[in-house]
């Protein structure tokens, strides 16, 4: 479907702003990648070695304008530089390894939460004022209010440390070699349960609340009354006529929550020592690894803008009335 030039312009401006902030933000932190590399070398940090490090990591003592020009040249050639923490690995190699785990974690949490939240919201609206609604709706508000770090620490202590039902951390058993078999897949599944459950309460609460409000407004429409007049079952009317037409606000809320989801995944990965982008960003910040920090923030920005763009496309597919407006 067609996307308006005005909408594309908004995405372009947002991307340009993100690139500028992405360049400036790491340089506001104390220290530099050169300092970190020199500290790692210790007594081996000769003047020649220090000059070589400066040349390799973009001569951070140059004026900011020249550093920014070099940064844009790197982006134009898809060269994100070399990692300080994981030298001599490139930023692309480091982020490529971490991105797969974060995508798996966030996607699983969103799909699981969307299914649960939409069903709870639809049933709450259908039975509004009843016992189910009076229990689920306040519980959703509580789930939205609890910070992910509290949920992460609680689930880690209760289910991993105390009860020992699940692994304490990592993405899979370190004693296993990655392979396409049931043993490795089962290990990945077990290690992902607690991180997914940590991200899910906030999402389920948001989806349930949004779906309930949207569903209540839809239940008074003529097509829902017609479905009931046809003698269809409650489930057919609830989901076939009501929930299907109440999904647009839920998709809107999903697009707005993507930033919060990535923020929650950073905290979750740090707590569970999960090898995704969150843990990588944390270790890169400690090591003053400018290239990795810049590459990761840019990657997360592109992911958020891309997801919002995809939601714009889905709007037109779900509701034909919005196709010309997107």
């Amino acid at each position: 479907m067609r996307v308006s030039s005005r909408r594309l312009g908004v995405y372009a401006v947002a991307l340009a702003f993100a690139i500028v902030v992405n360049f400036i933000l790491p340089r506001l932190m104390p220290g530099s990648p050169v300092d970190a590399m020199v500290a790692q070398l210790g007594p081996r940090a000769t003047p020649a070695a220090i000059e070589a490090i400066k040349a390799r990591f973009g001569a951070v003592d140059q004026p900011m304008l020249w550093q920014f020009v070099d940064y844009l040249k790197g982006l134009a050639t898809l060269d994100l530089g070399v990692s300080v923490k994981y030298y001599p690995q490139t930023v692309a190699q480091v982020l490529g390894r971490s991105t797969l785990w974060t995508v798996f974690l966030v996607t699983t949490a969103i799909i699981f939460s969307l299914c649960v939240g939409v069903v709870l919201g639809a049933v709450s609206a259908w039975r509004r004022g009843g016992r189910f609604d009076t229990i689920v709706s306040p519980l959703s508000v509580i789930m939205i209010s609890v910070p992910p770090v509290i949920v992460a620490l609680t689930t880690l202590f209760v289910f991993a440390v105390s009860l020992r039902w699940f692994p304490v951390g990592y993405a899979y058993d370190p004693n296993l070699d990655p392979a396409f078999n049931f043993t490795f897949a089962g290990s990945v599944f077990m290690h992902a349960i607690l991180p997914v459950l940590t991200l899910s309460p906030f999402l389920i609460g948001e989806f349930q609340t949004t779906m309930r409000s949207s569903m209540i407004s839809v239940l008074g429409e003529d097509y829902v009354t017609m479905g009931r007049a046809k003698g269809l079952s409650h489930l057919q009317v609830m989901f076939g006529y009501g929930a299907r037409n109440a999904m647009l606000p839920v998709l809107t809320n999903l697009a707005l929550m993507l930033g919060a989801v990535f923020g929650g995944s950073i905290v979750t990965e740090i707590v569970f020592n999960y090898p995704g982008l969150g843990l990588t960003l944390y270790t890169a910040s400690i090591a003053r690894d400018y290239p990795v920090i810049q590459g990761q923030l840019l990657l997360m920005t592109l992911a958020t803008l891309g997801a919002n763009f995809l939601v714009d496309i889905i709007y037109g597919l779900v509701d034909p009335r919005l196709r010309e407006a997107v």
Side-chain angles (χ1 to χ4, degrees), residues 79-292:
D79 181 12
L80 299 178
V82 179
S83 170
V84 174
K85 174 70 175 177
Y86 304 99
Y87 184 84
Q89 296 184 46
T90 64
V91 174
Q93 291 173 327
V94 175
L95 295 184
R97 184 171 59 246
S98 304
T99 300
L100 295 177
W101 292 113
T102 295
V103 169
F104 168 71
L105 190 65
V106 170
T107 303
T108 303
I110 289 177
I111 293 175
F112 171 73
S113 302
L114 185 63
C115 295
V116 175
V118 166
V119 171
L120 292 179
V123 176
S124 296
W126 188 265
R127 300 180 179 178
R128 61 188 180 278
R131 181 177 300 178
F132 182 87
D133 184 34
T134 56
I135 294 175
V136 172
S137 295
L139 184 60
S140 297
V141 176
I142 295 174
M143 290 192 294
I144 295 172
S145 304
V146 178
V149 64
I150 301 298
V151 180
L153 292 174
T154 302
T155 54
L156 177 66
F157 177 76
V158 174
F159 298 107
V161 177
S162 298
L163 299 177
R164 298 185 179 182
W165 290 355
F166 300 99
V168 176
Y170 305 106
Y172 56 88
D173 189 343
N175 297 320
L176 295 177
D177 293 326
F180 290 100
N181 53 51
F182 288 107
T183 302
F184 181 74
S187 179
V188 170
F189 175 77
M190 289 298 295
H191 283 74
I193 289 178
L194 289 185
V196 168
L197 291 181
T198 297
L199 291 173
S200 296
F202 170 78
L203 294 172
I204 291 175
E206 286 283 357
F207 290 144
Q208 190 276 338
T209 303
T210 306
M211 187 64 185
R212 181 183 181 277
S213 301
S214 179
M215 184 81 167
I216 289 175
S217 63
V218 165
L219 290 179
E221 297 293 336
D222 293 337
Y223 50 80
V224 176
T225 304
M226 182 186 67
R228 287 171 171 167
K230 287 182 179 180
L232 300 177
S233 66
H234 290 314
L235 288 178
Q236 288 177 312
V237 177
M238 185 190 310
F239 292 103
Y241 286 80
R244 180 181 177 182
N245 292 281
M247 282 295 295
L248 273 180
V250 177
L251 295 177
T252 303
N253 202 25
L254 173 59
L256 296 174
M257 288 192 304
L258 287 175
V261 173
F262 279 120
S265 69
I266 291 176
V267 174
T268 301
E269 290 172 2
I270 293 174
V271 171
F272 289 98
N273 199 25
Y274 199 83
L277 292 174
L279 187 61
T280 300
L281 180 62
Y282 174 72
T283 56
S285 300
I286 295 177
R288 302 295 185 266
D289 195 344
Y290 285 0
V292 170

